[in-house]
Amino acid sequence: MRNFLEMKTQHTDFKMLSASVTGRESGNYSKVLTIDVGTGAGVSLNMPVVTSEGIVGRITELGYNWAKVTTIVEPQSSVGAYIERTEDAGICEGTFDLSADGLCRLSYLPAEAETEVGDRVLSTGFGSVYPRGLVIGYVETVGINEYTRSPDVTVKCAVDFSELTQVMIITDFEVYVE
């Protein structure tokens, strides 16, 4: 809870609601969580879910006192992202082959991007689901896609999805406009 209080102090522009993880979908690769708050607490679809470490995912299904959270490593998930050190922007996408390891792919980086292992990856704030500056994770590997000749980057998510018990739902934030 101390980490959540720290986050609330850091992000005074966010309104947040705490929730407990009450379930996980079965399956080796599924990264969908159930939490114990829903429409009765003011939660709505696409609200971002975070921990003090970083982004968990977004609300994709709702009931009165429960909600489903699809994590950022799920294949249908994507987050506008940028490398903090270089400010090169791309899109962090969940993929079937990486999700079991808590990894996602950082795509659409400029060809000249000078990405390094360990670089911190943050949300851009574009798309209005996730606020700007939330931690997604850290660059795990850097290579070149042999077909497109563009950077092939994997990102280790900052959040350990297997250990989650408490999360925060960002119920209101200012949308980033450049």
Side-chain angles (χ1 to χ4, degrees), residues 20-32:
S20 296
V21 175
T22 58
R24 300 170 194 283
E25 282 194 9
S26 61
N28 292 341
Y29 301 104
S30 183
K31 297 287 186 210
V32 177

Side-chain angles (χ1 to χ4, degrees), residues 11-91:
H11 295 284
T12 56
D13 53 332
F14 295 173
K15 289 184 182 165
M16 294 190 268
L17 174 68
S18 65
S20 296
V21 175
T22 58
R24 300 170 194 283
E25 282 194 9
S26 61
N28 292 341
Y29 301 104
S30 183
K31 297 287 186 210
V32 177
L33 310 171
T34 303
I35 57 175
D36 66 351
V37 296
T39 56
V43 175
S44 59
L45 289 175
N46 290 322
M47 284 184 169
V49 178
V50 298
T51 68
S52 56
E53 286 81 33
I55 296 175
V56 174
R58 64 186 175 90
I59 303 291
T60 53
E61 233 181 288
L62 276 168
Y64 184 76
N65 60 359
W66 62 271
K68 297 260 180 158
V69 178
T70 299
T71 64
I72 60 173
V73 295
E74 277 292 292
Q76 70 269 24
S77 292
S78 63
V79 181
Y82 71 98
I83 310 262
E84 183 177 39
R85 182 179 57 80
T86 63
E87 297 195 9
D88 290 319
I91 297 176

Side-chain angles (χ1 to χ4, degrees), residues 27-31 73-75 95-104 156 160-162:
N28 292 341
Y29 301 104
S30 183
K31 297 287 186 210
V73 295
E74 277 292 292
T95 65
F96 183 76
D97 59 322
L98 297 175
S99 67
D101 298 321
L103 299 169
C104 51
K156 178 73 173 169
D160 181 353
F161 301 104
S162 65

Side-chain angles (χ1 to χ4, degrees), residues 40 43 57 62 66 73 90 101 121 130 138 144 157 165 170:
V43 175
L62 276 168
W66 62 271
V73 295
D101 298 321
V121 180
Y130 300 99
Y138 300 87
I144 299 292
C157 293
T165 57
I170 301 175

Side-chain angles (χ1 to χ4, degrees), residues 102-115:
L103 299 169
C104 51
R105 178 158 283 115
L106 182 55
S107 304
Y108 307 108
L109 285 171
E112 66 279 358
E114 294 183 18
T115 308

